[in-house]
Amino acid sequence: MSKFNQPLGGNEMARFGGPATMMRLPTQDTAAGLDVAFIGIPMDIGTSNRSGTRHGPRQIRDESRMLRPFNMATGAAPFDHLQVADIGDVPINTFDLKKTVDIITDYYNDVLAHGALPLTLGGDHTLTWPILRAIKAKHGPVALIHVDAHADVNDTMFGEKVAHGCPFRRAWEDGCLQNDKVFQIGLRGTGYSLEDFDWGRKNGWTVVQAEECWYKSLKPLMAEIRAKIGDAPVYLSYDIDSLDPAFAPGTGTVEPGGLTIWQGLEIVRGCAGLNIVGGDLVEVSPPYDPSGNTALIGANLLYEMLCVLPGVPQGKHIG
């Protein structure tokens, strides 16, 4: 018997049965005793277009029933090395976004106090800012790998400072980021001005627009990013709308011309060896995902994040 929690296997219980947790893992009320905690934040009160991401964590968990514990591509076997559980959802205030961001920070302060590394199922992208506040309190300013169609650096939206288009401006203001180690990948589409993408560049961030990624492997890019980040603590925030809507239509602010699934996998797998201190997968909106494919991709990317965490040996490598 392993001393570590294991996902419920498909030969033990049919995949349409069993607990509705991430990968059908055991659940517990707190992060006590865990190396990694899967956490849901069921919110869409920060969205600006199509709602529905409040249902994202539940749908990601449901689709994660297809995942198995061993990574055939990289040789990673995270459940042989880490104690992992699903600790449920943050009890947000769905009628008050400003109160919710403080609820999230307080919740993650507790998770981090237990020494657990959080992997978050979103939920709209507003949630990354309050998580980064808690991460800063634990680790200090961090490097950031932000994969997204949008820069999310608006100063305001409809005059409000708190919204899913503003989290990284707020995180910057709060001193959560190491500006020379911030990387935004996949930005694209239309904007209101050059400032939409250039604000980050002016603050020392590296912005890799989607067009720079077309028709190529992103392994060389990730090698450059690893070299620049070094041993700094790093947070990975993955917005599902970074993928082209041909692959992931179930999101609120779709933009054509995005990343492919295999590029998304290269990005996450390319984080192996980094000092990752947390990650999130956000903006899955099940009402626009009738096949479940978007949530399934989200579940796979979260699993890939688990596979590259510190303490998980990498086995064989493809390519």
Side-chain angles (χ1 to χ4, degrees):
M1 292 287 291
S2 172
K3 65 178 180 177
F4 298 113
N5 292 337
Q6 298 295 315
L8 180 61
N11 292 322
E12 301 168 71
M13 168 66 72
R15 296 203 177 277
F16 43 80
T21 60
M22 183 65 184
M23 293 185 68
R24 305 195 300 179
L25 282 161
T27 186
Q28 59 185 60
D29 293 333
T30 74
L34 297 180
D35 298 309
V36 181
F38 283 112
I39 306 164
I41 305 184
M43 62 180 284
D44 57 14
I45 45 176
T47 54
S48 58
N49 186 32
R50 305 192 305 199
S51 60
T53 57
R54 66 181 63 190
H55 304 292
R58 179 168 293 189
Q59 190 67 26
I60 292 169
R61 288 180 170 114
D62 187 31
E63 298 297 339
S64 75
R65 67 188 185 274
M66 280 301 300
L67 288 162
R68 301 167 185 86
F70 183 75
N71 192 319
M72 298 294 287
T74 68
F79 302 104
D80 290 348
H81 302 279
L82 301 173
Q83 187 68 294
V84 188
D86 187 327
I87 65 170
D89 293 334
V90 178
I92 68 159
N93 182 335
T94 197
F95 301 113
D96 193 319
L97 182 56
K98 294 183 176 71
K99 287 182 179 177
T100 288
V101 298
D102 289 335
I103 291 169
I104 293 169
T105 297
D106 290 343
Y107 188 96
Y108 279 74
N109 281 335
D110 182 69
V111 169
L112 293 164
H114 286 294
L117 187 153
L119 291 179
T120 302
L121 295 67
D124 76 65
H125 219 156
T126 312
L127 61 84
T128 304
W129 167 45
I131 293 173
L132 284 170
R133 294 193 304 190
I135 292 284
K136 179 195 174 188
K138 174 76 173 181
H139 298 285
V142 296
L144 174 71
I145 299 174
H146 169 210
V147 192
D148 203 326
H150 312 95
D152 291 352
V153 293
N154 294 328
D155 187 27
T156 62
M157 298 184 77
F158 288 92
E160 296 292 333
K161 293 276 192 177
V162 186
H164 76 157
C166 308
F168 298 104
R169 176 75 71 106
R170 301 288 85 83
W172 172 81
E173 290 173 346
D174 285 343
C176 298
L177 306 175
Q178 297 185 27
N179 286 317
D180 62 335
K181 294 180 172 63
V182 174
F183 302 88
Q184 295 186 306
I185 306 170
L187 307 192
R188 63 187 187 277
T190 56
Y192 294 102
S193 71
L194 284 174
E195 187 77 0
D196 286 5
F197 290 176
D198 282 353
W199 184 88
R201 291 185 175 112
K202 291 175 182 176
N203 285 286
W205 302 4
T206 300
V207 176
V208 182
Q209 292 179 219
E211 289 81 359
E212 299 174 60
C213 303
W214 287 357
Y215 315 117
K216 64 176 68 171
S217 168
L218 298 189
K219 286 184 179 179
L221 171 65
M222 293 310 298
E224 293 176 13
I225 289 174
R226 288 195 305 273
K228 291 177 180 177
I229 290 178
D231 60 0
V234 56
Y235 188 87
L236 173 59
S237 185
Y238 200 109
D239 190 323
I240 203 70
D241 72 24
S242 63
L243 297 176
D244 190 88
F247 302 104
T251 190
T253 46
V254 293
E255 304 281 0
L259 304 177
T260 66
I261 292 172
W262 34 97
Q263 288 176 321
L265 291 171
E266 286 181 324
I267 291 170
V268 179
R269 291 174 182 172
C271 293
L274 291 174
N275 180 22
I276 300 170
V277 295
D280 61 55
L281 187 289
V282 299
E283 298 285 358
V284 171
S285 183
Y288 297 93
D289 189 31
S291 71
N293 279 356
T294 307
L296 177 63
I297 295 166
N300 274 268
L301 289 170
L302 282 161
Y303 167 72
E304 293 284 348
M305 291 183 196
L306 179 66
C307 288
V308 297
L309 295 183
V312 180
Q314 303 298 299
K316 66 184 234 182
H317 294 271
I318 302 299

